[in-house]
Amino acid sequence: MALSGPIVLAVLFGALLHAAWNALIKSGRDKALDTALVHSVGIFIAVPLVMFTGLPPVAAWPYMAASLLIHIGYYIALSGAYKHGDLSLTYPVMRGCAPLLVAMGSLSFIGEAISATAWAGVALLCVGVVTLGLSPSALRENDEGRRGKALAFALANAAIIALYTVIDGLGVRISGDALAYVATLFLFDGIPFLLLVLWRRPGQRRAALGYMAGRWKLALVGSAASLGSYGIALLAMTRAPIAIVAALRETSVLFAAVIGALFLREAFGWQRAAGTLVIVAGVMMLRLG
């Protein structure tokens, strides 16, 4: 397995899609409802896809079941992070800490080793991503009292991301069909979290449904971006080491920083520029490794 040029370009495009749907959630008034809506409407995309691809083989189902359960925790931590902190603070921390955990998990649990050069690329990407997120401007924009909660949610989510990445990387290889695997995931993925969000709002369900009725079109776009992003990543994991794909995917933080600056009025300072250069160096190391 090797990281070819086409795989690099595909994963970078998937990273752009990933940053886009996260920015959509951050732009909304209700982070938990927007998170639930983006993924629950994915069923309308997943159903025709599954009818086209068919279901994955039975051997892949335990991995999908585990992933679906872990994703509920992911959505809870994601909406909590965005509730307490800016996209520019929480998104890089979540995504920047995960690749090293994925690399260690891949080595420890599935015996997938990567070269020393690739390890250096993973480390550089993580440093660059966290540098982008913990810039002085990002810290100033977040209230000190809420910042701790935002970072706690983000760090917890980094571990969750690493866990489901390794599980899905194994599952999609067993499946042999990335599109069937990701379509089936999205068939069941969003509804449990949506039900959980509504259950926790017994006196606000009418207002919640009204809010979602006004956001469903944007949510459908976000859901398509999320499915496309993860589908590209899973396809890449069948052709390149899981740890390398996971690290490369976190270049999405660059796109998130740009989206945050251009559309969400979040500052972009010199430290983020430095983080960008470190990330680019990391990508080059991954490609060489």
Side-chain angles (χ1 to χ4, degrees):
M1 289 188 173
L3 191 65
S4 66
I7 291 177
V8 171
L9 293 176
V11 176
L12 288 175
F13 178 66
L16 173 60
L17 293 177
H18 194 277
W21 75 258
N22 275 263
L24 187 150
I25 290 173
K26 181 58 186 175
S27 69
R29 217 174 51 244
D30 192 316
K31 315 309 179 199
L33 271 179
D34 278 316
T35 303
L37 184 61
V38 162
H39 291 281
S40 61
V41 298
I43 193 171
F44 297 108
I45 303 172
V47 167
L49 278 179
V50 170
M51 291 176 66
F52 172 74
T53 64
L55 295 171
V58 174
W61 281 76
Y63 295 90
M64 287 192 297
S67 178
L68 289 168
L69 183 62
I70 294 165
H71 267 80
I72 295 175
Y74 167 74
Y75 295 134
I76 292 171
L78 183 73
S79 57
Y82 289 163
K83 178 180 178 181
H84 296 290
D86 279 348
L87 176 74
S88 56
L89 172 72
T90 54
Y91 186 76
V93 173
M94 284 187 287
R95 309 310 305 189
C97 296
L100 275 178
L101 298 175
V102 171
M104 290 186 288
S106 297
L107 179 61
S108 301
F109 297 111
I110 64 176
E112 187 173 85
I114 58 177
S115 69
T117 303
W119 270 107
V122 171
L124 279 173
L125 269 169
C126 292
V127 170
V129 167
V130 174
T131 299
L132 269 173
L134 296 183
S135 63
S137 57
L139 293 174
R140 282 197 304 270
E141 290 163 11
N142 289 265
D143 176 78
E144 186 174 352
R146 301 173 64 198
R147 188 191 308 150
K149 292 181 180 179
L151 290 175
F153 276 113
L155 289 170
N157 222 14
I160 293 171
I161 290 166
L163 184 58
Y164 77 63
T165 298
V166 174
I167 289 172
D168 282 336
L170 287 172
V172 75
R173 289 178 179 179
I174 291 170
S175 168
D177 188 335
L179 186 57
Y181 187 93
V182 75
T184 306
L185 272 182
F186 272 67
L187 192 62
F188 301 105
D189 183 36
I191 300 300
F193 183 60
L194 175 63
L195 295 177
L196 176 64
V197 170
L198 293 176
W199 176 73
R200 294 173 67 180
R201 304 180 183 205
Q204 306 171 29
R205 288 172 190 160
R206 186 182 296 274
L209 292 173
Y211 176 82
M212 290 190 293
R215 296 275 291 177
W216 73 268
K217 291 181 181 178
L218 276 176
L220 193 61
V221 173
S223 185
S226 178
L227 189 150
S229 172
Y230 204 42
I232 290 170
L234 291 181
L235 176 61
M237 287 176 191
T238 65
R239 304 184 182 187
I242 293 172
I244 291 180
V245 174
L248 185 60
R249 189 173 183 239
E250 304 319 340
T251 55
S252 59
V253 74
L254 291 176
F255 300 112
V258 172
I259 291 170
L262 293 179
F263 301 106
L264 304 181
R265 298 181 181 179
E266 297 175 359
F268 194 101
W270 68 266
Q271 188 168 332
R272 288 187 185 172
T276 298
L277 293 177
V278 174
I279 289 171
V280 170
V283 172
M284 294 175 64
M285 295 287 282
L286 286 178
R287 183 69 180 90
L288 291 173

